[in-house]
Amino acid sequence: FNGPLRSAIHRLKYKGDLALGETLARHMAGLLHSLGWKVDVVVPVPLGVARQQQRGYNQASLLALPLAMACGLPHRPRALHKIRQTRTQVGLSRTARRENVAGAFQADSHLVEGRSILVVDDVATSGATLDACAAALLVAGGQTVYGITLARTVFMPGQSGEAT
């Protein structure tokens, strides 16, 4: 999560450069293909209502939709909901990140039950958000949950973390 990729993610996430989603998702599609995971549906990490209204879009959805299309998979943006507002993960310790998102998501069993699900996000730092999403999807009857992100930061003990 540095150099040109960092700039591109920040343009997508904070500057509204929505066209970048499709371009960046191509790289994710290549990675997904190489992994050989058996996936039934693609689900973006949802934003909370306030953040969605503030930004006007969900950057994870801007990656998940073209990724799903490139792989011939259904995109299910309503399969996972954020049911509790959380503070931004930026600057939180690993433990605080996990506490912040614990129980923050709920999945629709009608859309995930018995399915293998790919959760898509832009950046992973500690994995707390992906873990919380996976927990909600499994509770709703998801069979298997995989997570994929465009970038990964290195989370060092005592580091505040600057992505998410």
Side-chain angles (χ1 to χ4, degrees), residues 1 5-14 122-123 150-151:
F1 184 62
L5 181 58
R6 179 186 178 104
S7 297
I9 291 171
H10 281 188
R11 283 180 24 220
L12 174 68
K13 193 169 184 172
Y14 302 117
D122 56 345
V123 179
L150 185 59

Side-chain angles (χ1 to χ4, degrees), residues 71-93:
C71 296
L73 297 167
H75 174 243
R76 299 290 182 255
R78 289 177 169 65
L80 193 59
H81 303 279
K82 194 161 190 184
I83 58 171
R84 178 173 60 77
Q85 290 299 317
T86 58
R87 61 182 281 212
T88 180
Q89 297 279 75
V90 176
L92 298 181
S93 69

Side-chain angles (χ1 to χ4, degrees), residues 34-130:
S34 73
L35 293 170
W37 293 341
K38 303 290 186 218
V39 173
D40 298 317
V41 296
V42 177
V43 176
V45 170
L47 290 177
V49 174
R51 181 71 39 86
Q52 177 82 35
Q53 288 175 343
Q54 173 191 16
R55 215 172 267 167
Y57 60 92
N58 177 353
Q59 74 279 356
S61 282
L62 295 176
L63 296 169
L65 177 58
L67 171 62
M69 292 174 66
C71 296
L73 297 167
H75 174 243
R76 299 290 182 255
R78 289 177 169 65
L80 193 59
H81 303 279
K82 194 161 190 184
I83 58 171
R84 178 173 60 77
Q85 290 299 317
T86 58
R87 61 182 281 212
T88 180
Q89 297 279 75
V90 176
L92 298 181
S93 69
R94 182 180 296 268
T95 301
R97 285 170 180 259
R98 293 205 176 279
E99 291 170 357
N100 188 42
V101 295
F105 302 98
Q106 183 175 36
D108 182 339
S109 62
H110 293 98
L111 298 174
V112 302
E113 190 169 11
R115 292 180 174 85
S116 178
I117 303 140
L118 178 67
V119 178
V120 178
D121 206 358
D122 56 345
V123 179
T125 300
S126 68
T129 300
L130 289 173

